[in-house]
Amino acid sequence: QKEVEQNSGPLSVPEGAIASLNCTYSDRVSQSFFWYRQYSGKSPELIMSIYSNGDKEDGRFTAQLNKASQYVSLLIRDSQPSDSATYLCAVINTNAGKSTFGDGTTLTVKP
Amino acid sequence: GAGVSQSPSNKVTEKGKDVELRCDPISGHTALYWYRQSLGQGLEFLIYFQGNSAPDKSGLPSDRFSAERTGGSVSTLTIQRTQQEDSAVYLCASSFTRDDEQYFGPGTRLTVT
């Protein structure tokens, strides 16, 4: 079992729909969670960070964290073709100083 | 402010040659990471530096790979006797501390012919 698991996709949604990306992690003491976006041929860029249970909203993006169930998700509202990319989930166990990335979910938003 | 920079952006080398890849982290960031990403694959952790502590080398795939970080800033990843399977994009990232979000450089695309 991988420490951080993501559905590789591809996930395809129509323009204007909500895209839901999920990530589960195995290290129960993980404390910091991040979502990155990686366009083809580019390096990952940070979208959002979340540290506490619940929702965190930033524009069209909402990160959701449930530590009891060990999952973190990213919702993209009003999806645009420019959102088409691979989304990486990253988890940090601050006690161990260890960060782990998932392999990413590829999202395609169709016009 | 300036982000993470890497050089060269592209490197083509012959099998068996040594290569050096450079990473200049964001000023003030104490943590520095090297990753490798093959086409269509996820990030493969290579090595991690934190301040003056001994680096975490647990991800280095073989003893042909080494890295150093001088003065707590610039880092160099060296691959000796390159093989075709070393062809990949090598990404460097830095963070303020080990507990913080990482910022990635543009990467170095290495092609071994």
Side-chain angles (χ1 to χ4, degrees):
Chain A
Q1 181 188 5
K2 291 185 177 180
E3 294 181 49
V4 178
E5 297 220 37
Q6 297 182 252
N7 188 325
S8 61
L11 173 66
S12 181
V13 300
E15 183 174 357
I18 296 175
S20 178
L21 305 162
N22 299 312
C23 170
T24 58
Y25 59 94
S26 60
D27 188 345
R28 184 169 290 278
V29 299
S30 298
Q31 295 155 319
S32 302
F33 307 86
F34 307 95
W35 282 101
Y36 290 80
R37 177 176 62 199
Q38 186 174 25
Y39 290 116
S40 181
K42 301 294 186 182
S43 59
E45 57 179 327
L46 180 70
I47 299 176
M48 291 191 70
S49 58
I50 187 167
Y51 305 95
S52 304
N53 280 328
D55 296 359
K56 179 181 178 182
E57 186 174 319
D58 183 359
R60 296 187 295 111
F61 298 95
T62 298
Q64 299 175 318
L65 175 60
N66 184 322
K67 290 187 179 181
S69 299
Q70 294 177 240
Y71 83 78
V72 56
S73 61
L74 180 69
L75 301 179
I76 307 174
R77 289 182 301 281
D78 187 25
S79 296
Q80 300 297 309
S82 58
D83 295 325
S84 298
T86 297
Y87 290 80
L88 304 173
C89 170
V91 174
I92 293 182
N93 176 338
T94 54
N95 292 336
K98 181 179 179 182
S99 61
T100 306
F101 282 80
D103 288 338
T105 297
T106 299
L107 171 68
T108 300
V109 180
K110 295 186 174 180
Chain B
V4 178
S5 60
Q6 292 186 245
S7 62
S9 55
N10 280 284
K11 177 72 176 179
V12 179
T13 189
E14 292 180 352
K15 177 181 174 181
K17 300 284 190 182
D18 297 352
V19 295
E20 284 191 354
L21 312 180
R22 176 188 167 106
C23 172
D24 205 335
I26 293 172
S27 178
H29 279 193
T30 63
L32 186 148
Y33 304 78
W34 283 98
Y35 297 91
R36 178 169 70 175
Q37 189 172 37
S38 299
L39 188 64
Q41 303 299 309
L43 297 176
E44 177 187 3
F45 166 76
L46 297 177
I47 189 169
Y48 156 65
F49 295 90
Q50 172 63 57
N52 295 321
S53 302
D56 176 357
K57 303 180 181 180
S58 61
L60 294 179
S62 77
D63 58 8
R64 296 186 296 105
F65 289 73
S66 63
E68 63 177 18
R69 187 179 185 189
T70 54
S73 182
V74 172
S75 177
T76 302
L77 177 69
T78 301
I79 308 173
Q80 296 178 312
R81 305 181 302 281
T82 52
Q83 303 295 312
Q84 287 187 329
E85 59 262 30
D86 299 334
S87 296
V89 175
Y90 289 80
L91 291 163
C92 174
S94 71
S95 60
F96 187 62
T97 72
R98 68 183 188 181
D99 300 335
D100 298 305
E101 60 273 16
Q102 297 175 31
Y103 294 90
F104 286 81
T108 294
R109 182 175 299 279
L110 175 66
T111 303
V112 182
T113 61

